[in-house]
Amino acid sequence: MTQPLKENREFQAETKQLLDLMVHSIYTNREIFLRELISNASDALDKLRFEALTNQTLLEGNSNYEIFLIPDEATHTLTISDNGLGMTYEEVIENIGTIAKSGTKSFLAKMEEAAASADHELIGQFGVGFYSAFMVAKKVCLITRKAGQKDGVRWESTGDGTYTIETCEKETRGTTIILTLQEEPTSDDHPSETFANQYTLEKLVKKYSDYIRYPIKMNFMKEAKPLDADGKEIADAPATQTTEVRTLNSMAPLWTKNKSQITQEEYYQLYKNLFHDWEDPLEVIHSKVEGQVEYTALLYIPTHAPFDFYQRQSTSGVQLYSKNVFIMDNCEELLPEYLRFVRGLVDSPDFSLNISRELLQQSSQLKLVGRNLEKTVLKTLENLLTKDYPKYIKLWQEYGKALKTGVYSDFHNREKLQELLLFPSSNSSEELTSFKDYVARMPENQTDIYYAAGKDRTQVERLPQMELLKEKGVEVLYLLDRVDEFAIEALGSYKDKKFQSISRGDLNLEDSSDQTKKESSELNKENQSLLSAVKQELTGKIADVKISSRLKSSPVCLVSGDNGISLSMEQILAEMDNPLYKASRILELNAGHKVFNVLKALYENQPSSEEFKDYCQLLYGQALLMEGLLPEDPIAFANKIATLMTDANK
Ligand code: ADP
């Protein structure tokens, strides 16, 4: 395709906003732009190396992979060059002019929020990559040529909302980025340093990019005096400028060293480097295993989940290496989905470099490593829970929901996972409780673990079904996350203690004494014909009507049958576009309530009267409302209440 000579284009609106944030530098440490650009270069080299496995011609006869930094203090520029895969014209527009990330809108909203509150840690989650160049440069010029293609592309912008793009010649494959630097010093602490200074750059590479797997080279300008025959400097001879190519990074993968030789700072730097986080991780797991499969794993638990962690299609964050050489990103077989928040890498000599993804996925060795990793992570979580509870709570707040989904998606480790779960409960308004602690507090005669599901604590605490349990001092777990009830259902019981919803079936409260039970069963018998009439009136809406043994001051409540899904699960499934799953609804009436007597009188007076029918519908509507559900015909419901209100004041 022939491209127009030179195009003037506008950044996508969201990108403009992002650029604006960059230019008005919301970050305190602008120096990280270098890490970002070097890491992009390294990614491009990875991609080329991978593609070249099956297409050697892409290398164009040069199989050296390298990154070059060319600072120039005189012109105040810094050039960062790689001979990686490069980009085509369309790819430049696609990648550099737009933010290709999911949920761009919410991303920006959060960004701005973070900028406004100057919450740099929060900003750190966003990894703005290429755009960080505009923190230090007043102009950015990108020249790139995709490996194997003829034409190059030149892209240029001053970060003002527009850019130009044109085809150009470029001899070598890959990408060169020329930054025309702002006049400002690198930081307030070092007023004379600039990002075009070779020593500053050397320091920054050591600090942030030491473990990049490709050499980061720079021509060092040196003033040197000529040497005499013994190799000593001739003191009185005039100095001359010489250049020397130096590789700035050690390229030694940290994980191959012994644990004892690695500092925490080194672990953290590598993490930030590899996973574009700006914040230290919460936990590091480094393990070497020799057995059926030999491998080293270096795993991290990030302090914060990415802002869109629970929305997007999840990808695993574990990279796979073989003998220090990168094979692939996001190797899904290495950790189950519920642990997708864990980032890190696995390096194993047992995997070959040019194995295809498909073959790799079938590899039993990979599965074995995966199972081991899962165990290792679970063990770490267990240790945190028992030995560093405050840290565990932080982790739980970020990833608790993911762990809960593990209970119903991962059968093998259910036993271990259930010990890691925490829930709010009626026991304390602040602290969460584990099943183990709940059981430890259970009175001897209590056989079940009680729970109530709802949208929030206030709603659950006011459920009519809660009243009796509260009065009896029975602790109730609050399931407030949409995944909770599914997890509890999947577990069924904890160490022989059945999970019992307060809105389902028989509550089985020991000390609600046989007396109450007997009473309610007698009452049910006594009122059999009334109950049948109510049921008849609500045909198609409910499965049964009963006299309740769980109500105190409310006239009615809705509970679900012992089998099948619960009412709150039904709501969640409906929100997830599964409206066909319905809970079986049982309407329970409180025989001790005045309304019951009115209903009974109406029935006895004239069973088929409109008034009796209205009362049935109204009671059902109320029960729905208390569960957070709308009556099926809200207008009819409202009209009936209006009539009732006028009748009452006639
Ligand atoms: P990220 O690296 O997080 O995807 P960036 O904004 O840093 O976000 O980069 C956007 C995209 O531009 C990259 O995903 C990559 O496709 C492309 N890109 C950036 N730098 C280079 C480079 N040096 N060589 C090839 N492609 C690059």
Side-chain angles (χ1 to χ4, degrees):
M1 188 166 106
T2 49
Q3 303 297 347
L5 278 180
K6 185 167 184 170
E7 273 192 276
N8 258 307
R9 282 177 161 259
E10 287 206 9
F11 285 107
Q12 173 204 33
E14 285 83 6
T15 317
K16 262 193 217 170
Q17 273 173 279
L18 183 57
L19 271 171
D20 220 45
L21 286 168
M22 285 293 117
V23 175
H24 300 111
S25 192
I26 47 180
Y27 299 98
T28 41
N29 59 337
R30 298 181 304 141
E31 64 191 29
I32 53 82
F33 82 95
L34 188 67
R35 173 182 78 190
E36 298 294 306
L37 296 184
I38 287 178
S39 123
N40 278 351
S42 167
D43 290 348
L45 289 161
D46 276 341
K47 285 183 204 157
L48 177 64
R49 223 210 53 242
F50 193 73
E51 293 210 4
L53 288 174
T54 47
N55 184 0
Q56 277 281 324
T57 58
L58 290 179
L59 296 179
E60 301 169 3
N62 175 7
S63 56
N64 282 338
Y65 299 101
E66 59 189 20
I67 299 166
F68 239 99
L69 301 185
I70 310 159
D72 189 336
E73 287 193 81
T75 58
H76 221 56
T77 57
L78 168 63
T79 302
I80 297 143
S81 191
D82 66 71
N83 58 0
L85 188 62
M87 283 176 275
T88 64
Y89 197 95
E90 287 76 18
E91 282 168 347
V92 173
I93 294 174
E94 174 95 343
N95 295 333
I96 306 290
T98 44
I99 309 173
K101 300 192 171 77
S102 59
T104 314
K105 276 260 148 61
S106 62
F107 166 83
L108 262 159
K110 293 230 170 180
M111 252 324 256
E112 294 206 312
E113 216 173 87
S117 64
D119 185 344
H120 298 287
E121 284 200 0
L122 189 59
I123 296 164
Q125 295 170 61
F126 299 128
V128 285
F130 178 79
Y131 303 98
S132 61
F134 287 100
M135 293 196 294
V136 298
K138 49 188 181 194
K139 188 171 89 182
V140 178
C141 173
L142 173 143
I143 302 164
T144 183
R145 181 168 71 74
K146 181 118 177 183
Q149 306 241 329
K150 194 167 112 323
D151 287 332
V153 188
R154 184 189 164 90
W155 176 102
E156 206 173 284
S157 175
T158 54
D160 61 350
T162 62
Y163 62 87
T164 61
I165 181 164
E166 61 194 307
T167 39
C168 70
E169 298 221 334
K170 186 174 187 296
E171 200 178 320
T172 50
R173 64 163 195 257
T175 305
T176 297
I177 295 169
I178 306 161
L179 307 176
T180 307
L181 298 166
Q182 295 163 7
E183 312 291 331
E184 282 144 49
T186 55
S187 73
D188 294 342
D189 302 340
H190 305 282
S192 62
E193 269 186 19
T194 88
F195 291 115
N197 178 282
Q198 55 188 15
Y199 297 103
T200 307
L201 292 169
E202 185 183 29
K203 218 167 54 188
L204 291 180
V205 169
K206 271 264 161 255
K207 181 166 169 191
Y208 293 114
S209 313
D210 195 48
Y211 310 106
I212 290 285
R213 305 175 283 277
Y214 303 98
I216 304 166
K217 295 179 176 174
M218 185 159 74
N219 281 329
F220 256 81
M221 300 294 182
K222 280 202 314 191
E223 298 251 312
K225 302 207 166 186
L227 305 180
D228 64 17
D230 300 330
K232 290 210 180 89
E233 280 187 356
I234 306 170
D236 50 3
T240 51
Q241 281 256 349
T242 56
T243 49
E244 167 194 50
V245 183
R246 267 198 227 162
T247 296
L248 307 177
N249 54 331
S250 69
M251 293 186 284
L254 191 68
W255 59 90
T256 54
K257 292 191 197 165
N258 262 334
K259 272 195 204 178
S260 58
Q261 293 170 333
I262 308 172
T263 65
Q264 188 183 53
E265 189 47 33
E266 283 178 306
Y267 275 131
Y268 287 3
Q269 273 305 339
L270 178 70
Y271 163 74
K272 294 185 195 170
N273 215 326
L274 283 180
F275 300 104
H276 304 262
D277 197 346
W278 305 23
E279 190 181 27
D280 292 339
L282 194 69
E283 189 67 13
V284 183
I285 309 165
H286 187 186
S287 66
K288 280 188 202 297
V289 174
E290 281 165 25
Q292 257 174 302
V293 204
E294 188 184 330
Y295 69 87
T296 300
L298 178 54
L299 303 177
Y300 295 94
I301 301 175
T303 301
H304 287 105
F307 73 97
D308 57 352
F309 181 65
Y310 288 106
Q311 284 120 47
R312 75 196 146 119
Q313 270 288 339
S314 55
T315 48
S316 137
V318 184
Q319 304 178 333
L320 186 63
Y321 289 71
S322 175
K323 297 190 203 125
N324 311 343
V325 183
F326 175 83
I327 303 183
M328 70 162 82
D329 244 336
N330 309 335
C331 184
E332 275 160 22
E333 287 67 29
L334 283 174
L335 279 180
E337 183 165 325
Y338 76 90
L339 291 178
R340 66 187 189 277
F341 57 87
V342 177
R343 320 231 61 188
L345 56 93
V346 170
D347 191 340
S348 165
D350 296 339
F351 298 114
S352 111
L353 259 190
N354 44 11
I355 184 167
S356 74
R357 206 171 244 266
E358 290 71 35
L359 273 181
L360 193 68
Q361 278 164 351
Q362 292 159 16
S363 139
S364 56
Q365 284 164 317
L366 193 66
K367 292 205 175 86
L368 193 64
V369 177
R371 275 202 296 281
N372 282 344
L373 284 192
E374 184 178 1
K375 271 196 211 125
T376 312
V377 175
L378 289 178
K379 186 84 210 149
T380 306
L381 297 181
E382 192 188 312
N383 280 340
L384 282 179
L385 176 63
T386 49
K387 301 199 178 104
D388 191 349
Y389 191 70
K391 205 181 207 180
Y392 186 78
I393 284 289
K394 270 194 197 164
L395 183 147
W396 178 257
Q397 272 150 2
E398 293 295 313
Y399 311 113
K401 217 188 275 181
L403 291 175
K404 286 187 272 195
T405 63
V407 169
Y408 55 80
S409 60
D410 190 309
F411 204 72
H412 306 292
N413 287 299
R414 216 172 255 184
E415 295 267 302
K416 286 195 187 112
L417 263 171
Q418 65 181 8
E419 301 297 346
L420 296 173
L421 306 188
L422 298 179
F423 292 95
S425 94
S426 56
N427 184 52
S428 154
S429 57
E430 279 132 45
E431 279 173 32
L432 302 175
T433 180
S434 63
F435 295 145
K436 191 170 157 206
D437 290 345
Y438 179 104
V439 169
R441 283 190 294 268
M442 265 165 74
E444 230 167 86
N445 56 1
Q446 186 180 331
T447 50
D448 296 351
I449 299 176
Y450 292 97
Y451 69 87
K455 287 192 174 54
D456 55 48
R457 198 180 175 100
T458 326
Q459 191 226 339
V460 171
E461 285 187 332
R462 298 187 55 198
L463 282 175
Q465 297 91 319
M466 271 300 287
E467 232 174 326
L468 185 68
L469 287 122
K470 228 185 272 171
E471 190 190 78
K472 297 202 175 298
V474 177
E475 183 176 352
V476 178
L477 296 178
Y478 296 160
L479 310 193
L480 309 178
D481 260 345
R482 41 203 300 157
V483 298
D484 287 355
E485 228 180 333
F486 295 90
I488 293 281
E489 283 275 313
L491 287 173
S493 62
Y494 171 79
K495 306 218 162 137
D496 298 333
K497 306 272 187 285
K498 184 164 111 6
F499 288 112
Q500 172 64 49
S501 161
I502 64 158
S503 309
R504 280 185 108 152
D506 185 358
L507 280 193
N508 215 5
L509 281 171
E510 270 300 319
D511 74 298
S512 72
S513 77
D514 293 344
Q515 179 64 20
T516 345
K517 272 191 206 160
K518 208 166 92 206
E519 270 172 25
S520 80
S521 97
E522 268 164 24
L523 279 168
N524 269 308
K525 248 186 244 155
E526 233 169 71
N527 293 289
Q528 194 49 51
S529 68
L530 167 67
L531 297 177
S532 306
V534 178
K535 188 174 167 184
Q536 173 71 27
E537 175 53 28
L538 297 172
T539 307
K541 295 176 178 170
I542 51 164
D544 208 358
V545 187
K546 283 181 182 165
I547 300 289
S548 183
S549 58
R550 73 185 97 215
L551 286 177
K552 294 285 300 173
S553 64
S554 284
V556 271
C557 75
L558 209 53
V559 302
S560 28
D562 263 338
N563 300 315
I565 61 169
S566 73
L567 278 167
S568 46
M569 288 161 96
E570 173 189 310
Q571 289 175 66
I572 292 164
L573 288 166
E575 282 167 31
M576 287 158 64
D577 273 343
N578 289 309
L580 294 177
Y581 294 95
K582 292 276 178 222
S584 90
R585 294 158 193 229
I586 298 164
L587 188 71
E588 289 195 353
L589 301 175
N590 182 356
H593 199 280
K594 275 197 236 157
V595 166
F596 182 79
N597 296 335
V598 177
L599 183 76
K600 199 168 168 176
L602 282 174
Y603 172 73
E604 280 161 5
N605 188 27
Q606 174 59 272
S608 57
S609 73
E610 280 310 307
E611 215 179 350
F612 172 71
K613 287 181 183 170
D614 280 354
Y615 266 61
C616 293
Q617 297 292 349
L618 278 170
L619 283 171
Y620 176 58
Q622 283 176 48
L624 283 172
L625 281 173
M626 283 189 283
E627 286 296 319
L629 296 165
L630 270 187
E632 277 131 62
D633 185 349
I635 295 172
F637 181 78
N639 285 341
K640 281 191 189 22
I641 289 184
T643 313
L644 206 67
M645 288 163 86
T646 15
D647 286 356
N649 286 294
K650 253 185 212 159

